[in-house]
Amino acid sequence: MPSIDRFSGHADLYRQYRIDYPAEVYDYLLSFAGDRQRAWDCATGNGQVAGVLADYFSEVEATDISEAQLSKAVQRPNIRYQVSPAEQTPFPDQHFDLITVAQALHWFDVEAFNREVRRVARPGAIIAEWMYGVSFVDDTLDPLIQDFYRNRVGPYWDPHRRHIDEKYVNLSFPFADVQQRQFIIHRYWTADRFLNYLRTWSAVQNYIRQHETDPVEYLAEAFAGIWGEEEKDVKFPVMLRVGRV
């Protein structure tokens, strides 16, 4: 199964408008990590997670298949970025104490990735995978957001997107001592900030390539007079699962 890259073409937009993750997510996953010598952030994108892990681990390896994304990544002296697929990496056997994958597992050949995790993880290492679903704001805006997600750009999602809706329940996680926890990320955004976030969606970019028009403008028109000028609490549901190799 070839690697799938849906984000190189809008790496700048992705860097500016994708969400980051709150301290409580990292506090939870790091509570399982005893040894903190080496971490691997797989499908790192622009290095959001790698930059945080660098505060806790002596060495952080961060990989992605998108050279464009890596060119925008946060730079730290103990992070090394490399272009590499998730399923076949240049790392030695039994090398990492922690492996993380944020909002990317659904793009992988998961069985091949699990084999690679077992190869490069030290005995007892931690594997942490998480994803976030469609955001929600309030009773007035949520139906518009859901209609945009399912109908306006719904046909332009790759089939892999269903794993997000299913919260990864059909993606194997054959590790020990599995723990799962849900979080809500709160971001206080203007309408313009939220609409630019939507432009980072792969389905929106697929729509733009096919039709040479921006579907987010339809939603902007629907938002007019509803959102207003103020910031609203945009909530992202996060599901995180942790296991031991």
Side-chain angles (χ1 to χ4, degrees), residues 12 14 26 37-38 46-47 95 99 112 123 131 143 145 150 156-157 161 220 231 239-240:
D12 278 321
Y14 193 100
Y26 295 104
Q37 184 176 351
R38 298 190 189 97
N46 54 31
H95 193 63
I99 298 169
M131 48 70 60
I145 297 167
R150 299 190 181 282
Y156 299 88
W157 288 109
R161 177 68 193 190
E231 294 182 345
M239 188 283 293
L240 182 150

Side-chain angles (χ1 to χ4, degrees), residues 3-244:
S3 298
I4 299 172
D5 180 3
R6 292 290 183 266
F7 302 100
S8 287
H10 58 291
D12 278 321
L13 196 68
Y14 193 100
R15 178 179 58 83
Q16 292 180 66
Y17 295 113
R18 274 284 166 145
I19 67 168
D20 56 359
Y21 305 104
E24 61 182 324
V25 170
Y26 295 104
D27 289 345
Y28 180 73
L29 72 89
L30 289 169
S31 71
F32 297 94
D35 295 327
R36 298 185 181 181
Q37 184 176 351
R38 298 190 189 97
W40 169 31
D41 184 39
C42 182
T44 194
N46 54 31
Q48 284 184 353
V49 175
V52 175
L53 295 181
D55 290 334
Y56 298 94
F57 286 80
S58 300
E59 302 173 20
V60 177
E61 298 281 359
T63 60
D64 203 281
I65 60 172
S66 171
E67 188 171 358
Q69 286 270 43
L70 294 180
S71 72
K72 310 297 181 183
V74 58
Q75 299 298 312
R76 297 284 296 275
N78 59 334
I79 303 175
R80 181 171 65 164
Y81 294 102
Q82 297 186 70
V83 176
S84 174
E87 302 86 354
Q88 189 174 8
T89 68
F91 305 126
D93 295 352
Q94 299 187 3
H95 193 63
F96 294 107
D97 303 300
L98 174 70
I99 298 169
T100 56
V101 185
Q103 196 70 359
L105 184 71
H106 50 290
W107 298 112
F108 297 176
D109 178 336
V110 174
E111 297 302 331
F113 173 66
N114 288 338
R115 290 193 295 271
E116 187 68 353
V117 167
R118 290 190 179 281
R119 184 184 71 81
V120 302
R122 290 178 173 173
I126 297 301
I127 168 75
E129 302 171 346
W130 66 96
M131 48 70 60
Y132 58 88
V134 181
S135 56
F136 54 99
V137 181
D138 60 33
D139 291 343
T140 303
L141 292 164
D142 291 350
L144 298 175
I145 297 167
Q146 285 292 326
D147 179 69
F148 181 80
Y149 173 70
R150 299 190 181 282
N151 299 317
R152 176 66 66 178
V153 300
Y156 299 88
W157 288 109
D158 290 271
H160 309 75
R161 177 68 193 190
R162 73 183 188 278
H163 295 301
I164 294 289
D165 293 331
E166 297 166 355
K167 298 182 179 179
Y168 286 178
V169 294
N170 293 312
L171 295 180
S172 66
F173 195 62
F175 303 106
D177 303 328
V178 173
Q179 302 290 323
Q180 185 167 306
R181 184 166 172 181
Q182 297 189 31
F183 300 86
I184 298 293
I185 296 178
H186 295 264
R187 293 291 177 263
Y188 293 89
W189 287 350
T190 63
D192 185 67
R193 175 66 177 80
F194 179 76
L195 294 169
N196 277 313
Y197 156 72
L198 296 182
R199 291 185 172 101
T200 71
W201 286 3
S202 60
V204 169
Q205 294 298 316
N206 287 339
Y207 187 107
I208 291 171
R209 281 191 290 271
Q210 291 190 38
H211 298 284
E212 297 184 351
T213 185
D214 181 0
V216 174
E217 293 301 326
Y218 295 104
L219 193 59
E221 292 177 9
F223 276 9
I226 299 175
W227 192 298
E229 298 298 322
E230 75 277 11
E231 294 182 345
K232 289 186 178 293
D233 181 9
V234 182
K235 297 165 280 287
F236 294 83
V238 177
M239 188 283 293
L240 182 150
R241 61 186 185 183
V242 178
R244 193 173 299 279

